[in-house]
């Protein structure tokens, strides 16, 4: 099993640019979670999907952030336009019918 | 609503000494509790979990934790620290309902001194 796959692993962009982060969950998992990790705020849940449907997006910071899950094997988190305060590590995690979430390696985003 | 408090953002122990990382939770429903470990520049990896049954749970790398309902605690221990245990550790509790989203503590950075 390849685990949760995220791409890119590192992204450096300039303020105002669009950023798209990608996630492939573990095959067979029906829940997917996007987290953001910063020194100041720790781990924050941004949004999660159940069976490709967004269940709770109350953690999404503002309208500049959007997430989609067009099918069971792919999800994107988009920031448009990006700002320096969006710099963080973004994690994707997936879960089957059990309780354990499996995390990807993360995408380190730097917005200049 | 659920919340997790990890006492001590930084803990230092000598190699071979006992590791004790503290976690207290609050939950309006019977909790499921987890400890995750994060090594530098990596994602989170599950160390152990408590759902139901035996309150002392054993995980990977010699770690264990005990669920104490009366104290609302789920402290993580390891009898003898190894240099490779240096990492950040997160305690987490599930939310209620079918979604069971995780609420994480703020993390404890463990340093192991030679």
């Amino acid at each position: 099993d390849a685990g949760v796959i995220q791409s890119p692993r590192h992204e450096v962009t300039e303020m105002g640019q669009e950023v798209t982060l990608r996630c492939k969950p573990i095959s067979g998992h029906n829940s997917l979670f996007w987290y953001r990790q910063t020194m100041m705020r720790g781990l924050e849940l941004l949004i999660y999907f159940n069976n490709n449907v967004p269940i709770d997006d109350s953690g999404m910071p503002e309208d500049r952030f959007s997430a989609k899950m067009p099918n069971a094997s792919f999800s994107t988190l988009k920031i448009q336009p990006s700002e320096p305060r969006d710099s963080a590590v973004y994690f994707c995690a997936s879960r089957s019918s059990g309780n354990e979430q499996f995390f990807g390696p993360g995408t380190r985003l730097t917005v200049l | 609503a659920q919340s997790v408090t990890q006492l001590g953002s930084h803990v230092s122990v000598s190699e071979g000494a006992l590791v004790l990382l503290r976690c207290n939770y609050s939950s309006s429903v019977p909790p499921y509790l987890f400890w995750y470990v994060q090594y530098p520049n990596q994602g989170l990896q599950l160390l152990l979990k408590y759902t139901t049954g035996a309150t002392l749970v054993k995980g990977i790398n010699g770690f264990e934790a005990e669920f104490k309902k009366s104290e609302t605690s789920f402290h993580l221990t390891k009898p003898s620290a190894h240099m490779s245990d240096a990492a950040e550790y997160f305690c987490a509790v599930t939310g209620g309902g079918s979604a069971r989203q995780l609420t994480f503590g703020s993390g404890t950075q463990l340093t192991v001194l030679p």
Side-chain angles (χ1 to χ4, degrees):
Chain A
D1 193 334
V4 176
I5 298 172
Q6 291 186 248
S7 64
R9 292 294 311 277
H10 302 271
E11 176 79 29
V12 180
T13 191
E14 293 188 345
M15 183 174 63
Q17 297 297 306
E18 177 179 299
V19 174
T20 299
L21 311 181
R22 297 173 176 80
C23 176
K24 177 179 171 55
I26 294 172
S27 177
H29 284 193
N30 58 359
S31 296
L32 183 140
F33 304 78
W34 282 102
Y35 292 88
R36 179 171 68 176
Q37 186 178 38
T38 61
M39 288 292 291
M40 292 298 294
R41 301 175 67 91
L43 265 169
E44 302 173 277
L45 177 66
L46 301 178
I47 184 171
Y48 71 90
F49 296 84
N50 214 33
N51 294 320
N52 312 338
V53 176
I55 302 300
D56 183 356
D57 64 354
S58 61
M60 297 286 262
E62 50 198 273
D63 292 345
R64 296 185 298 106
F65 286 69
S66 63
K68 295 181 179 179
M69 192 164 185
N71 56 61
S73 59
F74 184 66
S75 177
T76 59
L77 178 67
K78 185 176 294 187
I79 308 173
Q80 166 63 19
S82 58
E83 297 181 2
R85 59 194 169 117
D86 301 331
S87 298
V89 181
Y90 291 81
F91 289 104
C92 176
S94 70
R95 187 189 70 205
S96 65
S97 57
N99 300 289
E100 178 182 353
Q101 291 185 22
F102 293 80
F103 282 75
T107 295
R108 182 173 296 276
L109 173 65
T110 302
V111 183
L112 302 174
Chain B
Q2 284 70 37
S3 67
V4 175
T5 302
Q6 291 185 238
L7 296 176
S9 58
H10 291 83
V11 171
S12 294
V13 299
S14 298
E15 191 174 19
L18 171 71
V19 176
L20 171 60
L21 305 182
R22 298 180 187 275
C23 172
N24 288 88
Y25 70 91
S26 68
S27 178
S28 56
V29 298
Y32 291 173
L33 294 154
F34 304 80
W35 276 99
Y36 282 84
V37 60
Q38 184 180 27
Y39 298 102
N41 300 313
Q42 295 187 26
L44 279 71
Q45 178 184 359
L46 183 71
L47 270 180
L48 50 80
K49 64 180 179 182
Y50 168 80
T51 54
T52 58
T55 57
L56 180 64
V57 293
K58 297 182 183 300
I60 61 172
N61 301 338
F63 285 93
E64 62 182 36
E66 186 171 10
F67 169 59
K68 293 187 177 181
K69 183 178 179 181
S70 62
E71 298 178 8
T72 61
S73 69
F74 191 58
H75 302 330
L76 181 70
T77 61
K78 181 175 180 177
S80 176
H82 192 271
M83 296 297 288
S84 61
D85 295 328
E88 188 156 21
Y89 292 79
F90 293 91
C91 183
V93 64
T94 55
S98 60
R100 303 193 304 278
Q101 63 195 87
L102 285 172
T103 299
F104 283 91
S106 55
T108 297
Q109 182 68 46
L110 175 66
T111 300
V112 181
L113 305 171

